[in-house]
Amino acid sequence: MNSVKRIPGLLTLSAVLLFVSGTNPRKATYAQMTDHGSTTDAGETTQAKIARAMSAGPTDVAKSAKIIDTDAHGNTVVLREGSNDFTCMPGNPKVIGGPPMCADAPSMQWFADAKAHKPKPTNTVPGITYMLAGATQRSDSDPTDTTSMPIEIGPHWMIMWPFDPKTTGLPTTHKPTGAYIMYAGSPYAHLHIMGRP
């Protein structure tokens, strides 16, 4: 399987792909996404979801971001309208690879391109994605990994732009501090930066 076709299985990006596509998660084919129907518990309050979504981004970004979630049928639900270029999502803390996140419009385009199996992302400027509440994932190098032990990742943010480890000199393995290139060797490789901006 080539790396472009594996991209929809990107662990930390798969939750965003569900929001971008608006598809039913029961029909999604993401290798590392568990079939849960809804991204969060049905009994959870809207305010709790909004608070968790906002925890993913810097305060000045999250306070004006649009907040979205999905319902039990996989439909996108707007929890709060926004006034900046960012969309934040509460994710599902019970699902590996379902972290809360905030992404700008170029990042959302990046994820939509991956979902559509495009050979490479089409955003013309770098995108920014925040996961400042941390995440849990299985691999930084293999987007199809469903069996490795979960890895707890601290607060981080990503620049969604093609990065090549050969030209940047950046490492390609997870680091608890600093930066590295996630999913190196694929057109969707991007810069993963540990810590808060």
Side-chain angles (χ1 to χ4, degrees), residues 1-9 17 29-30 109-122 187-188:
M1 181 181 296
N2 71 38
S3 60
V4 173
K5 291 189 179 182
R6 294 186 320 174
I7 293 303
L17 292 173
T29 59
Y30 310 120
Q109 180 63 50
W110 178 284
F111 304 136
D113 292 341
K115 170 67 178 164
H117 304 285
K118 291 191 177 178
K120 64 180 184 175
T122 61
Y188 288 86

Side-chain angles (χ1 to χ4, degrees), residues 9-178:
L10 292 175
L11 181 58
T12 58
L13 306 181
S14 56
V16 173
L17 292 173
L18 289 173
F19 290 113
V20 169
S21 67
T23 61
N24 184 334
R26 296 185 191 287
K27 296 177 184 172
T29 59
Y30 310 120
Q32 298 180 358
M33 262 319 255
T34 306
D35 182 10
H36 286 274
S38 177
T39 60
T40 54
D41 292 331
E44 188 174 26
T45 68
T46 298
Q47 284 309 109
K49 292 177 186 181
I50 290 172
R52 189 170 60 251
M54 289 179 65
S55 74
T59 303
D60 60 331
V61 168
K63 70 181 177 184
S64 301
K66 181 178 188 178
I67 310 289
I68 64 172
D69 194 13
T70 57
D71 65 16
H73 304 288
N75 300 312
T76 299
V77 177
V78 176
L79 301 180
R80 185 188 79 189
E81 291 294 343
S83 60
N84 64 17
D85 189 36
F86 280 85
T87 301
C88 297
M89 297 145 274
N92 185 343
K94 296 179 180 179
V95 176
I96 296 170
M101 64 180 72
C102 292
D104 66 2
S107 289
M108 297 297 276
Q109 180 63 50
W110 178 284
F111 304 136
D113 292 341
K115 170 67 178 164
H117 304 285
K118 291 191 177 178
K120 64 180 184 175
T122 61
N123 49 305
T124 58
V125 297
I128 301 291
T129 300
Y130 295 105
M131 293 185 188
L132 300 184
T136 305
Q137 60 193 47
R138 296 197 188 272
S139 174
D140 281 315
S141 60
D142 182 1
T144 63
D145 185 345
T146 59
T147 59
S148 294
M149 292 299 295
I151 304 166
E152 292 290 328
I153 308 297
H156 62 280
W157 55 292
M158 299 173 285
I159 300 176
M160 311 311 290
W161 192 248
F163 281 86
D164 182 352
K166 293 174 187 164
T167 59
T168 63
L170 292 169
T172 59
T173 56
H174 176 77
K175 300 170 47 142
T177 60

